[in-house]
Amino acid sequence: MGDLREDDLRDLVNRVLTHYQHYFEEKSRVTQSDVFVLFSPPWFSALERSFLWIAGFKPGLAFRVLRDSVNDLSEEQERRIARVREETRMEERMLNDELARIHESVGAPPVSGWGRKRGRVVLAAAADEGSANCPAPEAIRSALENLVGNADTLRTNTVMRIGQVLRPKQNVEFVAAGTRLQLTVRALGMGKAAVAAAAVAPDESLQDSAAAAAAAAAARRRT
């Protein structure tokens, strides 16, 4: 970064943030078509899913990334970051309360009988029935869509507000650290999934071999 002008650094950060903006635009389309799948995305590894908070990263995580990547904040920057952090925590609590209210409605009759479907936090099965006397699923779907939209707005605003406090070089360090964390979790999660799949495969082969041996023995007895 020492060879780049501040304008070049700003341009670099803006290009990266544009990619993330595109991601959130695509995610918004998924939210409108099937919000339930975002709470347990099949394209995520189990490790990645463990990081999810309302279908995405918890905004407070951005401050941990900042703390671990930028170590030359001025006192004024520290004060401004602290203000953003506290406001973010308040909004996180509000969204947590809203999620809890939705969970309570899911657990109340007649919703409790619908449960989960293919690992999603869903009521899609009931919604697909299209029953006129079951308005709850559509109401919950709409509530979840709004909740995910508000959570994504908070995620975006938190990162943007942090970026407004940082100098260009600090901004590059912050954005690079966030991207590096995302890629690391992705790689670790996919690696764990591959190891787990490899461990299961021999057991399945043994079961297949045992079944084949039993079938052969039965055939010999018949002859």
Side-chain angles (χ1 to χ4, degrees):
M1 289 188 294
D3 296 330
L4 296 176
R5 299 174 304 169
E6 288 195 354
D7 287 345
D8 295 328
L9 296 176
R10 292 191 185 95
D11 179 64
L12 181 60
V13 170
N14 287 336
R15 279 158 46 197
V16 174
L17 293 181
T18 296
H19 285 294
Y20 281 106
Q21 181 62 38
H22 180 65
Y23 166 81
F24 279 110
E25 290 172 357
E26 293 296 328
K27 183 180 177 183
S28 177
R29 281 190 274 273
V30 174
T31 301
Q32 295 171 17
S33 62
D34 186 0
V35 66
F36 304 113
V37 74
L38 293 176
F39 284 84
S40 185
W43 54 88
F44 273 10
S45 66
L47 179 62
E48 289 171 295
R49 287 194 291 272
S50 72
F51 278 80
L52 289 180
W53 175 84
I54 311 183
F57 71 89
K58 193 170 186 178
L61 179 62
F63 298 98
R64 295 174 59 183
V65 172
L66 175 64
R67 180 194 63 198
D68 294 339
S69 61
V70 180
N71 56 15
D72 59 345
L73 294 175
S74 67
E75 292 185 3
E76 174 61 20
Q77 286 178 312
E78 291 279 10
R79 285 194 291 269
R80 293 173 64 186
I81 291 295
R83 190 181 312 122
V84 176
R85 183 189 298 111
E86 184 56 33
E87 292 172 359
T88 298
R89 285 174 178 168
M90 292 176 58
E91 294 191 55
E92 282 181 350
R93 286 195 290 269
M94 292 172 60
L95 292 175
N96 275 329
D97 290 344
E98 179 61 25
L99 180 61
R101 284 192 290 270
I102 295 174
H103 280 168
E104 289 173 2
S105 67
V106 170
V111 181
S112 58
W114 296 336
R116 294 174 180 267
K117 181 182 181 183
R118 295 196 306 180
R120 304 177 187 177
V121 184
V122 305
L123 305 174
D128 290 341
E129 294 174 3
S131 174
N133 58 3
C134 291
E138 188 55 41
I140 293 171
R141 185 195 301 273
S142 177
L144 286 175
E145 289 175 358
N146 290 333
L147 182 64
V148 172
N150 290 335
D152 283 347
T153 296
L154 179 57
R155 282 184 266 268
T156 301
N157 288 346
T158 298
V159 171
M160 297 300 293
R161 292 181 67 188
I162 290 174
Q164 291 169 359
V165 175
L166 302 179
R167 297 189 295 273
K169 180 177 179 293
Q170 294 171 328
N171 230 335
V172 171
E173 293 169 340
F174 170 60
V175 172
T179 304
R180 186 162 53 247
L181 174 61
Q182 179 185 0
L183 294 176
T184 299
V185 172
R186 176 68 173 173
L188 287 174
M190 297 303 291
K192 288 179 179 292
V195 170
V200 171
D203 294 337
E204 293 177 347
S205 299
L206 288 173
Q207 292 173 2
D208 292 342
S209 299
R220 286 195 297 271
R221 286 196 297 270
R222 286 196 298 270
T223 57

